Amino acid sequence: MDYTFLGVCDWKDAVCFVYTKKATVEESYEETVRSPSSQMRIPAVIRLRKIVRVVYEKLTHVSFNKRNVHLRDNYICQYCSTRCRDREATIDHVIPVSKGGLESWENTVTCCKSCNRIKGNHTLPESRLKLLKVPAKPKGFKEIMRIKLGELHDLWLKYL
């Protein structure tokens, strides 16, 4: 039996898998769930008892969208390094679409509203802004999973 990562499930499903003996608990959170007759710590990592076929393409692809760009950049403005709240975070096209820029991982960054106003429809040299890092498509399993899940809990890390 191996510990190949298969996916993420809701805590309620994890409890059902454990209760029906389809899985065993490897790691648990401190919080508990109770029924009239029993109590159990909420599973953080479970191991299935039977082998399951996996399609790995699903685990290595991240959709390009606004939320995932923000997650890739950790909601940090790529011009002034300000941490943005969800409502304050905008997307900036490094090369504006009106000047031939593409809607892609490599041309979009998280940007705060004030930096977005400064940059406007200009290129980087025109706006005199500098990028913290060059935008790129996410690669590497942990980065992809962080984007898919929003964050990685410490209990999960040794299994990824």
Side-chain angles (χ1 to χ4, degrees), residues 13-139:
D13 292 333
V15 168
C16 288
F17 286 139
V18 172
Y19 185 76
T20 58
K21 300 192 179 359
K22 292 180 182 175
T24 56
V25 177
E26 296 294 323
E27 302 282 346
S28 296
Y29 298 116
E30 292 298 319
E31 296 86 3
T32 60
V33 62
R34 300 164 203 245
S35 75
S37 59
S38 65
Q39 146 178 335
M40 130 189 261
R41 288 175 65 189
I42 296 175
V45 176
I46 59 173
R47 181 172 41 89
L48 298 177
R49 291 179 180 253
K50 291 186 180 177
I51 295 172
V52 176
R53 273 178 108 182
V54 180
V55 179
Y56 287 98
E57 292 77 34
K58 291 180 182 176
L59 300 176
T60 59
H61 174 73
V62 179
S63 299
F64 172 76
N65 58 47
K66 180 179 177 179
R67 179 181 177 273
N68 288 346
V69 170
H70 291 324
L71 288 169
R72 176 199 64 191
D73 296 339
N74 207 18
Y75 283 88
I76 293 173
C77 175
Q78 295 301 294
Y79 298 116
C80 70
S81 71
T82 302
R83 189 151 185 54
C84 302
R85 289 191 203 141
D86 193 31
R87 287 171 284 149
E88 298 166 347
T90 64
I91 292 291
D92 180 62
H93 293 83
V94 178
I95 300 169
V97 174
S98 63
K99 297 183 179 182
L102 300 174
E103 189 84 19
S104 68
W105 286 106
E106 295 80 8
N107 191 47
T108 53
V109 294
T110 298
C111 184
C112 67
K113 288 181 179 179
S114 58
C115 286
N116 209 338
R117 277 188 224 102
I118 292 167
K119 184 162 178 299
N121 196 32
H122 302 293
T123 61
L124 289 175
E126 292 169 347
S127 66
R128 296 188 182 145
L129 291 172
K130 292 190 184 334
L131 283 169
L132 294 177
K133 64 181 180 186
V134 177
K137 183 176 181 177
K139 56 184 181 284

